[in-house]
Amino acid sequence: MITALLLTTYAVINIYTAVQTDFWLRRCFQNDTGRIKRIAFYIVYVLLALLPVSGAYLPDDQLKTQLAAAGNLWLGFYIYFTGFLLIAQILRLLIRLASRGRCSGLPRHWAWVALPLMVFLTVSLNLYGILNAQDIYTANYKVTINKDAGSVKHMRVLLVADFHLGSNSDPSLYRSMVAKINAQKPDLVLVGGDIFNSTYSSLKDPQVYSDILSGIESKYGVYAVYGNHDVEETLFGGFAITNSSHSYRNPKVTGFLKDCGFKILDDRTVSIAGGNVILAGRRDGEKAGDGTADRASIQSLILGRDTTRPVFVLEHEPMDFANIYDTGADFVFSGHTHDGQIFPGNLAVKLLSQNPYGIRVIDGVTSLVTSGVGYYGPPMRVGTHSEIAVIDFTFKLTVRKGN
């Protein structure tokens, strides 16, 4: 049902975009574009529009990977160009209403300005977004936890997430990430899921990436959880169109993460910093990797642990805050939202998530959500940044005196 709705919506919007583009071309050439030229335009447009579909539905091979990569680039162009066409149509309607029907819209010669301007703005936004996605920012936070961590008074924790390794990945981005991580001299590095972009085979030269990621340096190690895209599934523009009951984790993903030196917390809890800090890592609450959404309760992961010590929870999707708070946990690390990745997605995600980005106290527990390093769908970021999050914790038990 969801797949049919997604494909139908995509088809309808493409029809609108193609027809509107044809309208502006005819305005530019005063309807003298010629039948052959118009047929050629529609053929080219249909081929471009089919790129994401081909990248989703062809059998797994190198061609599918290349078409998926090209399809994601097309989607980046299509999103903004369609938006500008819609704005132009609204302006034409407003002008017509203001002239009480005496004017049919924008003057004909304006088409020579409007159409090239829409193309220029679309291409500019895409180029900016692609370049911006490769520029990793560092977000810094300072947090005090009112608990005793023994001899550990301070801890620098780095959170990264959402690598989305796949057809549009570039090793240089992850080399830059590792260099920025190591420059911070972290005590602990946490990887918040979605390391892969749903299909292990779409990543060219996995060994190159594991060699890069294994270079992360951390005093207490690198711990990771899986995300909802760390399973084998079919993607259409970044959106999963495989039924979750058929979404299984490829064993090669687990082997890859072990080659990277990541300690996988798949519903597991560990003690770090000499036993002074507790870290619980949860399965994804949407796709556990075995065709279900089954995972252990947070209570069972914390049960029997000394919660007078600082308790961290690493969970891909920011959720379940009330239950996390009830266990005595202090801080939750997450990714998943990408902070919306592409404008206006960064506005929409604020309506869809309790914590779309940054630090918030929700249901009594402190949540940090990073915008992530990679991207899904179009390999670009507009209105958001790729980032690593650096959190400097101070552990300081303050005893309140009675009156």
Side-chain angles (χ1 to χ4, degrees):
M1 181 65 181
I2 295 176
T3 301
L5 179 62
L6 180 64
L7 292 176
T8 300
T9 302
Y10 180 67
V12 169
I13 297 175
N14 267 293
I15 292 171
Y16 168 83
T17 304
V19 170
Q20 281 294 303
T21 304
D22 181 38
F23 166 83
W24 284 100
L25 286 171
R26 285 186 289 113
R27 295 282 289 186
C28 285
F29 295 100
Q30 299 186 1
N31 295 321
D32 189 26
T33 54
R35 184 178 179 182
I36 300 300
K37 291 179 181 178
R38 292 184 67 195
I39 292 174
F41 160 73
Y42 277 104
I43 290 174
V44 171
Y45 187 92
V46 169
L47 290 175
L48 289 170
L50 285 175
L51 284 173
V53 181
S54 301
Y57 286 103
L58 285 178
D60 288 340
D61 59 16
Q62 191 61 36
L63 177 60
K64 175 178 179 174
T65 298
Q66 293 171 350
L67 290 174
N72 286 333
L73 289 171
W74 159 250
L75 285 172
F77 179 89
Y78 153 83
I79 288 169
Y80 281 115
F81 189 60
T82 300
F84 286 126
L85 286 171
L86 181 60
I87 292 170
Q89 187 175 30
I90 292 172
L91 288 175
R92 288 179 55 243
L93 178 61
L94 291 176
I95 290 172
R96 186 170 185 176
L97 290 174
S99 67
R100 297 181 180 179
R102 292 189 300 272
C103 178
S104 62
L106 294 174
R108 189 180 298 276
H109 65 272
W110 281 25
W112 278 106
V113 176
L115 184 58
L117 179 61
M118 287 188 282
V119 173
F120 172 77
L121 290 175
T122 300
V123 172
S124 296
L125 276 171
N126 275 254
L127 289 176
Y128 163 76
I130 291 169
L131 293 174
N132 184 50
Q134 303 300 314
D135 187 12
I136 300 176
Y137 280 57
T138 300
N140 293 279
Y141 304 91
K142 293 183 182 296
V143 177
T144 298
I145 292 181
N146 187 31
K147 284 185 177 179
D148 179 28
S151 60
V152 181
K153 305 302 180 185
H154 304 278
M155 180 181 289
R156 172 164 286 188
V157 180
L158 263 69
L159 171 65
V160 290
D162 302 292
F163 298 168
H164 285 277
L165 299 176
S167 58
N168 289 101
S169 295
D170 183 348
S172 64
L173 176 66
Y174 303 96
R175 289 192 185 96
S176 175
M177 180 194 75
V178 171
K180 289 178 181 290
I181 290 173
N182 291 343
Q184 295 293 330
K185 301 187 183 306
D187 295 308
L188 176 67
V189 174
L190 302 178
V191 181
D194 276 3
I195 295 102
F196 276 85
N197 203 40
S198 298
T199 307
Y200 181 86
S201 61
S202 68
L203 181 66
K204 290 182 276 187
D205 301 320
Q207 187 66 47
V208 171
Y209 290 88
S210 63
D211 288 345
I212 293 169
L213 295 173
S214 65
I216 296 176
E217 300 170 358
S218 172
K219 182 177 180 180
Y220 299 123
V222 181
Y223 290 86
V225 293
Y226 295 116
N228 60 300
H229 283 297
D230 291 317
V231 293
E232 291 291 311
E233 58 187 359
T234 300
L235 291 184
F236 180 81
F239 294 95
I241 56 177
T242 301
N243 190 295
S244 60
S245 63
H246 295 91
S247 299
Y248 292 89
R249 182 159 299 114
N250 189 328
K252 291 182 179 180
V253 169
T254 301
F256 174 90
L257 296 183
K258 290 181 178 179
D259 289 343
C260 293
F262 295 178
K263 301 177 180 69
I264 305 168
L265 298 180
D266 192 25
D267 274 350
R268 288 182 53 224
T269 303
V270 295
S271 296
I272 58 175
N276 290 304
V277 175
I278 297 164
L279 172 62
R282 306 190 72 184
R283 282 187 172 185
D284 182 68
E286 181 183 348
K287 295 170 185 171
D290 57 3
T292 74
D294 297 338
R295 63 173 179 172
S297 69
I298 187 62
Q299 287 82 2
S300 68
L301 295 180
I302 305 298
L303 184 66
R305 300 282 178 166
D306 182 5
T307 56
T308 64
R309 301 294 192 186
V311 179
F312 293 155
V313 176
L314 179 60
E315 170 157 26
H316 175 62
E317 300 187 38
M319 60 192 302
D320 202 26
F321 295 111
N323 285 326
I324 291 172
Y325 174 73
D326 288 343
T327 66
D330 303 289
F331 202 93
V332 187
F333 302 87
S334 302
H336 183 64
T337 70
H338 294 223
D339 191 22
Q341 186 173 320
I342 301 172
F343 176 86
N346 54 336
L347 303 180
V349 75
K350 291 177 171 57
L351 304 174
L352 302 174
S353 178
Q354 287 181 282
N355 184 5
Y357 173 74
I359 278 189
R360 293 188 183 186
V361 177
I362 304 172
D363 293 333
V365 69
T366 304
S367 161
L368 171 64
V369 175
T370 178
S371 62
V373 176
Y375 32 74
Y376 67 95
M380 51 192 282
R381 283 182 177 266
V382 177
T384 65
H385 295 291
S386 299
E387 70 167 26
I388 62 172
V390 181
I391 312 97
D392 286 303
F393 285 98
T394 297
F395 305 117
K396 185 178 180 181
L397 180 60
T398 302
V399 180
R400 295 183 179 179
K401 297 181 179 179
N403 293 328

